[in-house]
Amino acid sequence: MSTLFEPFTLRSLTIANRLWMAPMCQYSADSEGPDEGAANDWHFAHYAARAAGGTGLILTEATAVSPEGRISPYDLGIWNDRQVAALRRITTFLKGQGTVPGIQLAHAGRKASTDATWHGGAPLDAENGGWRTVAPSALPFDEGHPAPDELGVDQIQEIVAQFADAARRALEAGFQVVEVHGAHGYLIGQFLSPHTNHRTDEYGGSYENRTRFALEVVDAVRAVWPQELPVLFRISATDWLTENEEDEREGWTADDTVHFAADLLAHGVDLLDTSTGGNAPRARIVAGPGYQVPFAERVKRETGLPVGAVGLITEARQAEKIISDGQADVVLLGRELLRDPSFALHAARELGGEVHTPKQYHRSV
């Protein structure tokens, strides 16, 4: 039996295999009107195809907990009940294919209010559908980006409550897994890193203060999420600034991630979805096949927290080896699942595993 296609259990939930779909923004929701931020036919077809292709668990794209938390005006949201109904259509279909539906809850912070990537991803002003952004400190993301407003403590607590409300709605929408997005330089990651967090109050400065907001969000989500269902956390394991002279303040490091993983485990997180980067636009990153896997492996080895590995995992045997060598508990594919929605089915054939195949496709088996 292929280790990639062995079931994996978190709390009371058993996922059919260890080949999962990573969150990838589609920038395809309505940007205004009654269906603002709601999933539509594109999202249904997109996620349904990967479920029919045998993917064990699918995480939605970053789904904003508030309108201001969107990366772009075209992001999915989960701040109202109309959005819940649209998402329920997707989760019902995924479950029918044996795929576990998961949702990534997100707030973009200073990286919000930008255009779709295929339009260049530049910051949007109010005349073009943009809005004021917020962050732990009033530091722009890059040249040509506006400085965000520094969040007050009351505003921070309001966002914590928005994550909790979003988790409640996610449960109503039929999701079985919720992931808190703390990676890629979005709001939670901005608080974690000394590169972007220059505060001097209880939410800045020391490691304990910089991780406070993230843990408050986790606690708020865990408090409303059923105890029998898992909570995941996505992290950028490093800002890739350790030896970078871009800023006199060193960024978030792999050592920080190991420390924080132990904290997350103590706060009820069940798996760390381990990525890197995104917080500093000119960080020097040497990418290659599986280049982020060692960060996941270290967390697993040193803390015992289950981990997911991501990053240029494009071949079935590569994914199999990551699992069989104990480097990670699951792999999450991104671009490769865009290229091949039935990657799991094809990998199962290659490795001698089994995946759910829709009865309508029985002639393909």
Side-chain angles (χ1 to χ4, degrees):
M1 178 68 178
S2 163
T3 55
L4 188 61
F5 292 96
E6 290 178 353
F8 184 62
T9 299
L10 291 172
R11 299 201 179 222
S12 68
L13 184 66
T14 298
I15 299 99
N17 61 58
R18 296 160 186 255
L19 203 159
W20 299 1
M21 181 174 171
M24 289 175 285
C25 289
Q26 297 298 293
Y27 305 113
S28 297
D30 286 350
S31 60
E32 57 186 5
D35 290 324
E36 180 184 23
N40 53 38
D41 286 349
W42 172 262
H43 301 93
F44 181 87
H46 171 64
Y47 293 117
R50 278 80 195 165
T55 308
L57 181 147
I58 289 175
L59 286 166
T60 65
E61 62 200 81
T63 306
V65 300
S66 69
E68 299 77 20
R70 293 172 292 174
I71 302 167
S72 83
Y74 316 106
D75 288 15
L76 286 186
I78 191 163
W79 63 80
N80 66 42
D81 293 341
R82 194 178 184 96
Q83 295 160 346
V84 169
L87 289 166
R88 189 180 296 119
R89 178 188 177 211
I90 294 173
T91 62
T92 299
F93 184 86
L94 266 55
K95 291 174 184 176
Q97 300 306 309
T99 295
V100 171
I103 186 170
Q104 185 185 70
L105 303 180
H107 192 298
R110 69 176 186 170
K111 294 177 75 174
S113 188
T114 61
D115 209 343
T117 53
W118 49 81
H119 293 150
L124 294 172
D125 58 27
E127 293 182 357
N128 292 291
W131 56 90
R132 294 287 303 174
T133 61
V134 296
S137 302
L139 304 169
F141 173 64
D142 199 1
E143 296 176 3
H145 286 242
D149 295 331
E150 181 172 311
L151 286 163
V153 172
D154 289 346
Q155 293 173 296
I156 292 171
Q157 291 305 306
E158 181 180 352
I159 294 173
V160 171
Q162 288 170 347
F163 271 93
D165 289 342
R168 289 191 193 95
R169 291 192 178 96
L171 189 64
E172 293 174 12
F175 288 99
Q176 295 172 289
V177 171
V178 64
E179 176 174 273
V180 175
H181 194 358
H184 302 156
Y186 297 118
L187 184 62
I188 292 175
Q190 292 161 27
F191 271 91
L192 292 176
S193 175
H195 177 68
T196 43
N197 185 344
H198 294 189
R199 299 176 73 96
T200 57
D201 64 1
E202 65 267 38
Y203 287 97
S206 68
Y207 165 87
E208 289 74 18
N209 284 354
R210 286 184 286 107
T211 59
R212 188 183 308 278
F213 173 60
L215 293 177
E216 287 180 349
V217 169
V218 167
D219 287 346
V221 169
R222 185 75 269 180
V224 301
W225 196 247
Q227 285 300 305
E228 67 271 17
L229 294 178
V231 171
L232 317 184
F233 190 97
R234 188 164 225 201
I235 196 165
S236 283
T238 176
D239 284 341
W240 298 101
L241 289 175
T242 304
E243 298 178 2
N244 193 317
E245 297 179 357
E246 178 180 326
D247 193 294
E248 62 181 8
R249 297 172 184 247
E250 184 177 279
W252 183 261
T253 69
D255 289 342
D256 292 327
T257 293
V258 172
H259 187 177
F260 189 51
D263 294 340
L264 291 171
L265 181 61
H267 283 256
V269 167
D270 301 288
L271 181 141
L272 190 68
D273 180 359
T274 314
S275 187
T276 65
N279 202 28
R282 281 174 292 281
R284 293 186 289 271
I285 303 172
V286 180
Y291 73 105
Q292 296 177 136
V293 174
F295 296 100
E297 181 181 18
R298 183 180 170 193
V299 168
K300 179 177 171 62
R301 182 179 67 248
E302 296 187 24
T303 71
L305 178 65
V307 295
V310 306
L312 292 180
I313 301 170
T314 60
E315 299 178 357
R317 294 195 182 278
Q318 176 194 16
E320 169 83 2
K321 183 172 173 53
I322 290 168
I323 303 301
S324 62
D325 286 356
Q327 294 178 286
D329 298 279
V330 302
V331 296
L332 294 99
L333 303 189
R335 291 175 177 85
E336 194 59 32
L337 271 172
L338 296 183
R339 290 185 280 264
D340 181 3
S342 296
F343 182 93
L345 176 60
H346 299 150
R349 287 176 179 169
E350 180 179 344
L351 300 173
E354 294 183 2
V355 294
H356 168 80
T357 303
K359 59 181 180 291
Q360 294 89 342
Y361 293 171
H362 73 278
R363 285 167 291 184
S364 69
V365 178

